């Protein structure tokens, strides 16, 4: 695998950050245009309302396929061309939706729309690449907040436009917006050399390889899936609660409750700064504690709109914050593999959301709102347990400091952290051996030059220049890996690896 030596551009303008956030929100909104319109669409195309529910399912299935098969291409293609191309493809699918003469054609068009509307999942890691290290969390938070805004606002916009001009107009306008954004992004995104070169099948397989190598990624994905399961559990059950006794609200009113969730957007803007300041792990614990408190409030809100709104705000702030911190933590693991890490994150989120929706239906039938809120509290406790176990080890991103000790995200130093571990740190096996030069990186790894700038001598998976006296494991160097040479000192600053 070849890796571009061209360093990524540093810094982003406010205008480009805003444009990426808007484009990410518009892309994710395409998944939800049909949700509040199912009865309108069913009546117009002569389908049963229950059958119309498959429109949402088809879109989500298509999206899952697109995330798995297309998003990893963000690591090997020029995203200045790739993102606009995906937006134009989604515009074509939206236009087909607007012109669909039958239910079957609309079902097919929405499936294609799901596959192609993956631009938001490419733009978020792109924002991480363009941002400087000091501001990456904030920039990713802004773009992530754009995604959340798209999810929450799409239902309200879709219902309003359909009420004024019909459901087909919603898709037609979305197609126009997609084309405009494609043109703007093609002009605004700077030319970017591919960060890696590898065959497509190897690229797809490497998604799993990156996750297997990074223990921090695996633990973070568990927290992410739990967060989306909790989020989906709450919002799915909330629809059942508000549509039944004692509220009996119509669909339009139920959709307005989603606006209360916009508070999560503001939390996302602030959450990125917490990561930049090294408070990612403490803030994650606080977020899950807030989510636990929110479900406790919700348990008493079965007959109170005020308490429900309070619970909605608390849950959205908590879960949006932890989701942003999870993404920022993953992006800190690797520069070359951010799109693939984002693929793993989106997949785990999708699995969690599907599990949460299914659980909400089962729990509502078994025990109503009480069963749902108690299960939500249980999920929050599970996440807090994982956070408590991982915050001193697997969830830490440690790099070698100038004095040889390992510093975590929170700024604490772990001078006594073990130097050898099969899952973290300096692994003493052939799997770590690579043949790329010191300034190149392996699959999803930081170039040596970047690792040095981050406070350590090199990242894992890279070979030290033997003239400096060591290999990639930080062992005192020989002419080849595994050949100790007592007459050569090791690299300055201690073992040259990162522990995750």
């Amino acid at each position: 695998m070849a890796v571009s030596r061209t360093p990524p551009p540093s810094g982003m303008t406010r205008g480009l950050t805003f444009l990426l956030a808007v484009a990410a929100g518009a892309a994710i909104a395409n998944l939800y245009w049909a949700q509040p319109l199912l009865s309108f669409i069913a009546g117009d195309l002569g389908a049963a309302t229950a059958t119309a529910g498959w429109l949402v399912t088809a879109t989500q299935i298509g999206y899952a396929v697109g995330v798995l098969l297309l998003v990893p291409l963000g690591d090997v293609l020029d995203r200045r061309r790739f993102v606009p191309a995906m937006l134009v493809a989604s515009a074509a699918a939206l236009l087909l939706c607007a012109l669909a003469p039958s239910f079957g054609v609309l079902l097919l068009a929405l499936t294609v729309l799901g596959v192609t509307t993956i631009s938001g999942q490419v733009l978020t890691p792109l924002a991480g690449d363009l941002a400087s290290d000091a501001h990456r969390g904030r920039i990713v938070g802004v773009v992530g907040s754009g995604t959340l805004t798209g999810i929450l606002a799409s239902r309200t916009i879709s219902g309003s436009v359909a009420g004024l001009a019909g459901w087909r107009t919603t898709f037609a306008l979305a197609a126009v917006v997609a084309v405009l954004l494609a043109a703007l992004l093609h002009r605004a995104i700077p030319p970017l050399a591919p960060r890696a070169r590898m065959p497509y099948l190897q690229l797809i397989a490497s998604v799993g390889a990156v996750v297997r190598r990074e223990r921090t990624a695996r633990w973070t994905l568990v927290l992410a899936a739990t967060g989306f399961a909790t989020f989906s559990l709450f919002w799915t059950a909330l629809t059942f609660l508000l549509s039944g006794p004692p509220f009996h609200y119509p669909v339009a009113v139920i959709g307005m409750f989603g606006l209360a969730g916009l508070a999560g957007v503001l939390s996302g803007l602030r959450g990125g700064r917490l990561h930049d300041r090294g408070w990612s792990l403490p803030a994650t614990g606080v977020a899950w504690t807030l989510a636990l408190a929110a479900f406790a409030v919700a348990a008493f809100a079965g007959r109170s709109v005020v308490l429900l709104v309070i619970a909605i705000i608390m849950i959205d702030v908590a879960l949006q914050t932890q989701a942003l911190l999870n993404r920022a933590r993953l992006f800190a693991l690797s520069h070359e593999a951010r799109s693939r890490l984002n693929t793993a994150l989106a997949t785990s989120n999708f699995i969690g959301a599907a599990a949460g929706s299914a659980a909400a239906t089962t729990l509502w039938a078994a025990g109503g709102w009480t069963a749902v809120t108690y299960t939500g509290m249980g999920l929050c406790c599970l996440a807090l347990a994982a956070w408590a176990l991982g915050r001193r080890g697997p969830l830490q991103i440690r790099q070698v400091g100038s004095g040889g000790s390992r510093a975590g995200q929170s700024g604490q130093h772990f001078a006594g952290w073990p130097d050898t571990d099969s899952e973290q740190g300096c692994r003493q096996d052939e799997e770590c051996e690579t043949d790329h030069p010191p300034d190149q990186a392996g699959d999803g790894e930081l170039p040596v030059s970047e690792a040095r700038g981050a406070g350590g001598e090199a990242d894992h998976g890279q070979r030290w220049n033997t003239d400096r006296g060591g290999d990639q494991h930080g062992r005192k160097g020989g002419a080849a890996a595994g050949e100790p040479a007592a007459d050569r000192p090791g690299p300055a600053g201690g073992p040259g690896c990162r522990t995750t």
Side-chain angles (χ1 to χ4, degrees), residues 48-61:
T49 303
T51 304
W54 283 100
L55 297 175
V56 177
T57 302
T59 310
Q60 295 288 347
I61 291 174

Side-chain angles (χ1 to χ4, degrees), residues 258-499:
L259 297 179
L262 289 174
V265 175
L266 299 177
S267 71
L269 297 175
R270 294 291 181 183
R273 292 183 172 89
L274 296 176
H275 177 84
D276 292 337
R277 295 173 181 175
W279 298 343
S280 176
L281 290 180
T284 298
V286 172
W288 277 109
T289 302
L290 179 62
L292 177 61
F295 272 99
V297 172
F300 296 96
R303 293 181 176 274
S304 171
V305 173
V306 174
L307 288 179
L308 272 179
V309 171
I310 292 173
I312 288 172
I313 294 173
M314 292 174 66
I315 284 177
D316 272 54
V317 168
L319 296 183
Q320 168 68 0
T321 299
Q322 69 86 31
L324 178 276
L325 293 171
N326 288 335
R327 190 183 302 273
R329 189 180 305 114
L330 285 177
F331 286 0
L333 295 176
S334 170
H335 166 65
E336 281 75 22
R338 280 190 185 127
S339 287
R340 281 166 284 171
L341 286 169
N342 202 50
T343 295
L345 178 63
T347 302
S348 68
N349 290 346
F350 181 85
I351 293 172
S357 296
T361 302
T362 303
L363 290 167
W364 186 264
W369 186 245
T370 300
V372 169
T373 54
Y374 275 53
T375 301
M377 285 188 276
L379 288 173
C380 292
C381 290
L382 177 65
L384 280 170
W387 168 79
L389 290 173
R391 65 188 298 262
R392 295 294 185 183
L395 287 172
Q396 285 276 3
I397 301 174
R398 297 185 181 85
Q399 304 213 353
V400 178
S402 60
S405 63
R406 289 166 172 77
Q409 272 187 331
S410 60
Q412 295 168 310
H413 294 274
F414 295 81
W417 197 264
D419 286 334
T420 56
D421 190 309
S422 62
E423 284 290 330
Q424 56 181 324
C426 308
R427 292 173 294 179
Q428 306 284 338
D429 55 31
E430 295 180 357
E431 184 178 347
C432 287
E433 302 291 340
T434 61
D435 296 325
H436 25 269
D439 282 334
Q440 292 186 357
D443 173 19
E445 296 156 3
L446 287 173
V448 171
S449 57
E450 291 187 23
R452 289 171 183 162
E457 284 289 321
D459 200 285
H460 58 90
Q462 298 167 330
R463 184 181 304 281
W464 286 99
N465 184 336
T466 52
D467 291 336
R468 290 175 57 83
D471 62 16
Q472 86 262 26
H473 299 307
R475 296 183 294 229
K476 294 184 177 180
E483 297 179 4
D487 58 335
R488 293 186 181 181
C497 74
R498 179 181 62 187
T499 301

Side-chain angles (χ1 to χ4, degrees), residues 114-162:
V115 174
T116 56
T117 190
I118 48 86
S119 302
Q121 297 297 340
V122 179
L123 289 171
T124 308
L126 171 62
D129 289 346
L130 294 175
S132 63
D133 291 341
H135 302 291
R136 181 168 294 120
R138 179 178 62 83
I139 297 297
V140 171
V142 172
V143 178
S145 295
T147 300
L148 179 63
T149 302
I151 294 173
L152 295 175
S154 60
R155 299 175 179 90
T156 303
I157 294 172
S158 179
S160 300
V161 172

